[in-house]
Amino acid sequence: MNSKVSVIVPCYNQAVYLDECLQSVLDQTHQNWECIIVNDGSTDHTETVAKKWAEKDSRFQYVYKENGGLSSTRNTGLEKASGDYVQFLDSDDTIHKEKFSKSLSTDKEYPLAVSQFTIYKNGLHLSGYNRVEQDFLTFEGIVFGWDLKFSIPIHCALVSKKLLEGFWFDTSLTSCEDWLMWIHITKDNPEVLLVDEPLAHYRKEDNNNSMSSDLYKILQQRIRIFPILKKLYGDDLHDRLVYHIIEVRSKQYIQQRNEFNKVTGGRAVSGYLALKKYYYRLFQKKN
């Protein structure tokens, strides 16, 4: 199958990784692709690197826009995509050279193909934080399993343009916007090809300033998702999801507390409470 693939590469101040990212696109054994490099107002040398690739191969297109965030940058790429399939690829990530060919080489045409992935950290490829399973790739699986049982890097997916009809990334979100995409493309439970090989490589370098390191911000963003889901998919799904998250997180908390007490024998908690009680008594005497 010689379907055309539109690769969308949003860029913001990660020029240091961009050559490696775009080389992984150029190396694809499936040759029918276009690569839309969208510069989201970078202040580093992203433009120089991107233009070099556009001059090297006409399949690379360079687009500049004012800074607006990851979602608006991906939306710009979607507007310009002319392929049968869309491959999202962040500028610090890479894909295996056979990702397109192994996703499209079957006799049957699948609207969605998803591969396994590795974590690329400090120069090493490590196992992904979870294995992608076939039963994850349903509407119910994505809605009720995401971040509780698994999550899937966006560039694991090769998505039919038809599945993305009517979808735009929510520019009010700085996290979980990819979860909404997965929900949208699986809402009618399309047939999914699971390519059981790690064909997507997700870079996760040490960075204490990253969004993913701030649990409070992540929780804030997740809460902002709920009214969006309610508007898009109704009260029933919204309420089921909220109750499901509360139930799962409560069970996890109880399990963690029990495991902690097994290890410490409860001594750490009782010791802390005794110290706290002593401190307050001391404080009250001084006052």
Side-chain angles (χ1 to χ4, degrees), residues 6-26:
S6 294
V7 187
I8 297 174
V9 180
C11 305
Y12 181 69
N13 287 350
Q14 291 186 314
V16 65
Y17 302 123
L18 188 54
D19 277 330
E20 188 178 1
C21 171
L22 299 181
Q23 185 66 52
S24 74
V25 177
L26 185 65

Side-chain angles (χ1 to χ4, degrees), residues 18-151:
L18 188 54
D19 277 330
E20 188 178 1
C21 171
L22 299 181
Q23 185 66 52
S24 74
V25 177
L26 185 65
D27 289 343
Q28 290 300 304
T29 55
H30 178 89
Q31 295 287 303
N32 190 13
W33 53 263
E34 64 178 359
C35 182
I36 305 162
I37 310 164
V38 187
N39 182 359
D40 187 33
S42 298
T43 57
D44 65 359
H45 60 291
T46 289
E47 181 168 271
T48 302
V49 176
K51 284 185 173 179
K52 175 189 70 176
W53 284 88
E55 291 170 2
K56 178 187 294 189
D57 191 312
S58 61
R59 290 174 295 178
F60 290 103
Q61 304 172 35
Y62 174 67
V63 180
Y64 178 86
K65 62 179 284 296
E66 294 297 321
N67 180 256
L70 178 59
S71 289
S72 70
T73 309
R74 285 175 174 160
N75 287 341
T76 297
L78 277 174
E79 288 174 353
K80 297 185 177 297
S82 63
D84 305 298
Y85 285 83
V86 172
Q87 169 72 61
F88 294 103
L89 179 61
D90 290 350
S91 57
D92 56 341
D93 296 330
T94 62
I95 50 178
H96 188 276
K97 66 181 181 180
E98 292 184 292
K99 187 174 194 297
F100 299 165
S101 59
K102 290 192 173 184
S103 299
L104 298 171
S105 62
T106 59
D107 294 334
K108 185 174 183 177
E109 184 174 339
Y110 289 87
L112 176 61
V114 181
S115 76
Q116 305 293 347
F117 64 100
T118 66
I119 301 291
Y120 189 63
K121 185 172 183 177
N122 301 329
L124 298 173
H125 285 280
L126 309 172
S127 298
Y129 32 75
N130 56 255
R131 274 187 58 79
V132 182
E133 302 292 345
Q134 192 77 47
D135 61 356
F136 295 173
L137 304 172
T138 64
F139 181 69
E140 294 268 321
I142 292 292
V143 170
F144 295 103
W146 194 266
D147 273 353
L148 299 176
K149 187 177 181 181
F150 65 88
S151 59

Side-chain angles (χ1 to χ4, degrees), residues 129 136-137 140-154 176-183 222 241 244-245 249:
Y129 32 75
F136 295 173
L137 304 172
E140 294 268 321
I142 292 292
V143 170
F144 295 103
W146 194 266
D147 273 353
L148 299 176
K149 187 177 181 181
F150 65 88
S151 59
I152 309 171
I154 195 169
C176 301
E177 76 291 334
D178 56 334
W179 183 32
L180 286 179
M181 184 211 73
W182 284 99
I183 291 173
R222 193 171 183 87
L241 177 60
H244 176 70
I245 290 174
R249 291 304 190 201

